């Protein structure tokens, strides 16, 4: 994994045993650490490397006051500084110690008080040539900040920070980590020498920064390990002589890192590291981590400069982040109002949400979304299958009572979701009603993690004696285990946006339901009027027509001898025209009578209906010597009269469009899963397949009336009857090959009618 | 003999064309009979309920009439103790099932849909005449 600077500890996953941070008493050997009793500045403990750096053994320092090491001028300054509230006034102080004759050692001295109230003085060797003059630093910082101000996006901003930190410190690699709400992190910016591996864009687990380490980052904003392979110096004596306990070095600069940590660095080929904490609202927002392949010492001053840079710059990041948050909120608000507008304009709110730009996905930054409304699914992006969605909604209906439900680990609460974790480890759901939902999905987060390099490469769990420690790659695997079945979390602002959308949908649905009810009323009224009209038309239109026909015929009958051939023909045409008009009126009447409301659902013997139809066609069957055969016919739930009409029209059609041979017609039926499939097959002239849809359209004719008489409504009536029964009708045919008309009738009759509020009973009627 | 009596047919029909056509059809038959015509339901009932009116032997009734509908006329005839014995044949353009059922509910003696073919119409009229005036035995009008 990618978080080498951090002490790795994963208590529940491995048997890593690490001492608590306050009991670590190793000291990095490049500096000297002294533990003092503050009132008298008496030395209680000293790091064992004093011989090398101060030319005095630790034993010789015990019980001495600082006056023994520093000249009185320096000690007076310490006393004055320690009397101040804030130790920053004396931190750091450039101090010197005479080792021998004119041999002075120069140090940066830093004081702090630990949790037990002891004063700790840390002395780091000062290297004058490494000090950066204040003005240079000022220019650097100013240049950076100016550059930053010109940058609008957070990504670029972070990039500039790592560039600047690398400029100032000259580390081989500088990275900026950002933590998310769950504590997982991501490398968002990186600047490095070409030879070093890139970690940019990689995620790393929360487990890599255990709680004690986080605490330390909170209190100790800058951490340096100049040489990860240096053997730490211990304290002399090991235990604090006052408390008889290890002295708490949590806030120490020189305290040695965990062994695990140094191994970590070692495995990554890193010898020196510097870490700067980025804090926001007293929480660890992120880190700037610097790596160097060889040991590298960074002076206290420079570190302070980096810390300062970090703070100043980070203040700007915070602002930027807030601005970004604000912009995101505004963005969501814009998406939201666009959606609401398009919903109210679209015919159905579902279309409005799915088809507009921006669409539903944009409202919650989701990869997939689905709407269940009126028993139908509409989806966009990547979603589970409709079957899975149906189960999911059933589960939601049972489980969820709130106006919004969201989780970034759906499989943990709904085990079946593991099957589609790659599209929906995260779910955000708003119920519109018990049966209608809007759902948003996010994929498992591992899917979105970038992993550079070869994942099978080198680093693993290391073991040495009875100690174990995590190494980068292995740690990534552990993390994958930890975060699997998780999506990126839903932001509160996203949840809020969906809640507001819900309100809008509910309003629109209510309004549409109201409009629909009104519309249904109007429709019912106009339907009734239409029926009345149809009746009147059939009667009142027929009457004058009959009259024309009758009188023309009477004319012919009575004056036959006085008419020439032209007159006789004219009369024939008049009669023909009237007769066609009469047929049309009859058919329109039949067509208008077929509607959903008019259907008498009942258990019908389809053989009776067929026989009735055959009876009506008796004359034509005899005339054409047609052979009609049929399969045993089932009992079905349908309107018997309409079914009869259907058979009659189809068989009449088969007879009408006969070829030169006598018609052979077979009526078949077979049971399919949910439907009865009927067929009427003939050996007639057939239909060109390109017309196979057109023939069902009202008044569509493929032949002249001279060839085949008729209104062109027969099949339109058939189609309407079948559709009112919730079935489908189609034809399969080739020219000259005969034709087979198929139609289906649902076995259950009419499940739909319950949904549309009809209350007719389709059980056999009594009496 | 009463049977030699000239028969009277009461035709209730608003359409002039149809009246003429029916008259023509009766003319073409062998039996000579009188045809009394009423042009709407009100007129029909007024005629039937006159004291001195000749009781017709047969009523041919159209259903869709102005002022008083054929169905009402039928209902009133069949509710009238005297008139209900007169056979009523509904002769109408309507082939509507509701009309057919309703007419029989109201005790029509026979429902005939007017044919669209002249020859057929003549046949129907001949049939009516033959059956109702010659074949069927009817109660004697006083």
């Amino acid at each position: 994994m990618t978080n080498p600077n951090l002490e790795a500890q994963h208590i529940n996953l491995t048997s890593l045993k690490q001492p608590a941070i306050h009991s670590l008493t190793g000291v990095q050997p490049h500096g000297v650490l002294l533990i003092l009793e503050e009132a008298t500045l008496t030395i209680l403990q000293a790091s064992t490397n004093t011989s090398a750096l101060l030319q005095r053994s630790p034993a010789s320092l015990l019980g001495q006051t600082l006056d023994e090491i520093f000249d009185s001028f320096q000690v007076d300054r310490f006393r004055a500084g320690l009397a101040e509230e804030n130790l920053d006034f004396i931190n750091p102080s450039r101090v010197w110690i005479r080792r021998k004759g004119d041999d002075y050692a120069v140090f940066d001295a830093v004081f702090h008080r630990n949790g037990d109230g002891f004063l700790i003085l840390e002395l780091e060797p000062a290297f004058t040539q490494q000090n950066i003059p204040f003005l240079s630093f000022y220019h650097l910082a100013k240049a950076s900040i100016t550059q930053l101000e010109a940058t609008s996006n957070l990504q670029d901003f972070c990039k500039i920070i790592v560039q600047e930190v690398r400029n100032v410190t000259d580390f081989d690699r500088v990275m900026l980590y950002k933590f998310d709400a769950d504590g997982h992190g991501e490398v968002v910016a990186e600047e490095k020498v070409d030879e070093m591996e890139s970690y940019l864009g990689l995620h790393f687990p929360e487990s890599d920064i255990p709680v004690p380490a986080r605490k330390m980052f909170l209190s100790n904003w800058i951490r340096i390990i100049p040489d990860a392979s240096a053997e730490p110096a211990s304290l002399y004596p090991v235990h604090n002589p006052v408390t008889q306990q290890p002295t708490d070095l949590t806030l120490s600069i020189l305290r040695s890192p965990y062994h695990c940590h140094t191994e970590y660095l070692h495995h990554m080929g890193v010898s020196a590291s510097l870490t700067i904490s980025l804090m926001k609202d007293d929480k660890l927002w992120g880190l700037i981590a610097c790596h160097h392949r060889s040991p590298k010492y960074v002076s206290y001053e420079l570190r302070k400069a980096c810390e300062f840079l970090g703070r100043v710059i980070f203040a700007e990041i915070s602002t930027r982040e807030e601005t970004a948050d604000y912009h995101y909120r505004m963005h969501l608000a814009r998406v939201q109002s666009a959606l609401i507008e398009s919903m109210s304009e679209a015919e159905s709110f579902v279309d409005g949400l799915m088809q507009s730009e921006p669409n539903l996905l944009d409202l919650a930054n989701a990869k997939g979304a689905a709407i269940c409304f009126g028993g139908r699914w509409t989806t966009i992006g990547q979603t589970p299958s409709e079957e899975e969605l149906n189960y999911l909604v059933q589960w939601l209906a049972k489980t969820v009572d709130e106006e919004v439900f969201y989780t970034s680990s759906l499989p943990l609460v709904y085990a079946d979701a593991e099957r589609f974790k790659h599209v929906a480890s995260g779910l955000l759901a708003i119920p519109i009603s018990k049966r209608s939902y809007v759902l948003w999905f996010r994929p498992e987060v591992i899917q979105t993690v970038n992993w550079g390099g070869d994942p099978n490469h080198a680093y693993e769990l290391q073991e040495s004696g009875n100690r174990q420690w995590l190494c980068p790659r292995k740690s990534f695997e552990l993390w994958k285990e930890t975060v699997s079945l998780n999506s990126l979390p839903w932001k509160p602002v996203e949840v809020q946006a969906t809640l507001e959308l819900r309100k809008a949908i509910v309003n629109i649905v209510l309004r549409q339901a109201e409009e629909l009810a009104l519309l249904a009323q109007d429709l019912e009224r106009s339907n009734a009027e239409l029926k009345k009209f149809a009746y009147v038309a059939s009667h009142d239109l027929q009457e004058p027509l009959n009259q024309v026909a009758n009188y023309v015929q009477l004319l012919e009958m009575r004056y036959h001898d006085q008419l020439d051939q032209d007159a006789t023909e004219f009369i024939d045409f008049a009669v023909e025209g009237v007769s066609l008009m009469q047929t049309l009126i009859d058919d329109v009447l039949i067509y208008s009578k077929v509607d959903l409301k008019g259907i008498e659902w009942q258990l019908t013997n389809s053989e009776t209906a067929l026989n009735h139809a055959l009876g009506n066609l008796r004359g034509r069957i005899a005339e054409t010597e047609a052979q009609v055969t049929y399969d045993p016919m089932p009992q079905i739930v349908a309107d018997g009269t309409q079914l009869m009409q259907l058979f009659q029209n189809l068989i009449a059609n088969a007879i009408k469009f006969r070829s030169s041979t006598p018609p052979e017609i077979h009526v078949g039926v077979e049971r399919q899963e949910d439907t009865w499939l009927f067929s009427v097959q003939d050996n007639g002239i057939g239909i060109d397949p390109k017309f196979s849809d057109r023939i069902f359209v009202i008044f569509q004719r493929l032949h002249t009336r001279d060839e085949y008489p008729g209104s062109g409504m027969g099949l339109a009536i058939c189609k309407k009857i079948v559709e009112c029964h919730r079935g489908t009708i189609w034809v399969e045919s080739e020219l000259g090959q005969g034709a087979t008309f198929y139609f289906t009738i649902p076995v259950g009759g009419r499940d739909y009618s319950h949904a549309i509020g009809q209350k007719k009973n389709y059980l056999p009627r009594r009496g | 003999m009463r049977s030699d009596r000239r028969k009277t047919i009461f035709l209730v029909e608003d359409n002039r064309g149809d009246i003429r056509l029916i008259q023509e059809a009766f003319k073409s038959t062998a039996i000579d009979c009188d045809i009394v015509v009423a042009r709407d339901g009100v007129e029909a009932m007024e005629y039937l309920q006159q004291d001195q009116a000749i009781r017709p032997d047969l009523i041919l009734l159209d259903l869709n009439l102005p002022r008083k509908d054929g169905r009402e006329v039928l209902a009133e005839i069949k509710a009238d103790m005297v008139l209900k014995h007169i056979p009523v044949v509904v002769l109408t353009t309507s082939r509507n099932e509701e009309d057919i059922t309703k007419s029989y509910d109201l005790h029509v003696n026979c429902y005939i849909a007017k044919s669209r073919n002249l020859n057929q119409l003549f046949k129907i009229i001949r049939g009516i005449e033959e059956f109702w005036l010659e074949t069927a035995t009817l109660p004697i009008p006083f």
Side-chain angles (χ1 to χ4, degrees), chain A residues 533 535-546 581-582 585, chain B residues 93:
Chain A
F533 170 77
Y535 173 78
V536 169
S538 74
H539 182 269
D540 292 10
L541 290 186
Q542 290 285 13
E543 236 175 21
L545 281 176
N546 291 347
M581 189 68 185
Q582 288 170 326
I585 291 173
Chain B
T93 320

Side-chain angles (χ1 to χ4, degrees), chain B residues 44-51 55-56 59 68 71-88 106-107 109 139 142:
Chain B
M45 287 317 296
E46 278 172 0
Y47 173 80
L48 289 173
Q49 285 163 349
Q50 292 176 65
D51 288 343
R55 299 279 172 233
I59 300 172
K68 187 176 276 180
R71 297 161 193 82
E72 294 170 69
V73 173
L74 179 59
E76 284 180 34
I77 292 172
K78 291 302 176 186
D80 187 305
M81 290 307 289
V82 178
L83 299 177
K84 71 177 177 188
H85 296 118
I86 306 171
V88 179
L106 294 172
H107 309 293
N109 297 76
F142 56 90

Side-chain angles (χ1 to χ4, degrees), chain A residues 541-589:
Chain A
L541 290 186
Q542 290 285 13
E543 236 175 21
L545 281 176
N546 291 347
Q547 205 161 321
V548 173
N550 287 329
Y551 278 95
V552 172
Q553 285 174 75
L554 189 60
L555 204 60
E556 201 199 8
M557 200 193 287
R558 193 157 300 168
Y559 305 99
H560 183 71
D561 298 343
Q562 296 156 45
L563 295 173
D564 64 1
Q565 199 185 338
D566 275 355
T568 314
E569 267 182 31
F570 296 164
I571 288 176
D572 284 349
F573 282 129
V575 173
E576 217 170 274
V578 171
S579 135
L580 175 63
M581 189 68 185
Q582 288 170 326
T583 318
L584 277 174
I585 291 173
D586 283 347
D587 286 350
V588 169
L589 185 66

Side-chain angles (χ1 to χ4, degrees), chain A residues 235-250:
Chain A
L235 290 180
Y236 181 85
V238 174
H239 282 174
N240 186 309
V242 180
T243 64
Q244 300 302 323
Q245 297 287 321
T247 302
D248 179 2
L249 296 184
T250 305

Side-chain angles (χ1 to χ4, degrees), chain A residues 166-204:
Chain A
R166 183 147 179 262
N167 275 344
V168 176
T169 60
D170 201 30
F171 270 92
D172 285 341
R173 175 171 55 212
V174 179
M175 293 176 280
L176 199 151
Y177 297 112
K178 181 182 185 300
F179 299 114
D180 65 26
D182 294 340
H184 302 312
E186 182 188 357
V187 179
V188 293
E190 180 184 63
E191 184 70 18
K192 64 178 188 63
V193 294
D194 292 342
E195 300 83 38
M196 288 195 87
E197 202 177 345
S198 172
Y199 294 123
L200 184 64
L202 297 188
H203 289 68
F204 60 97

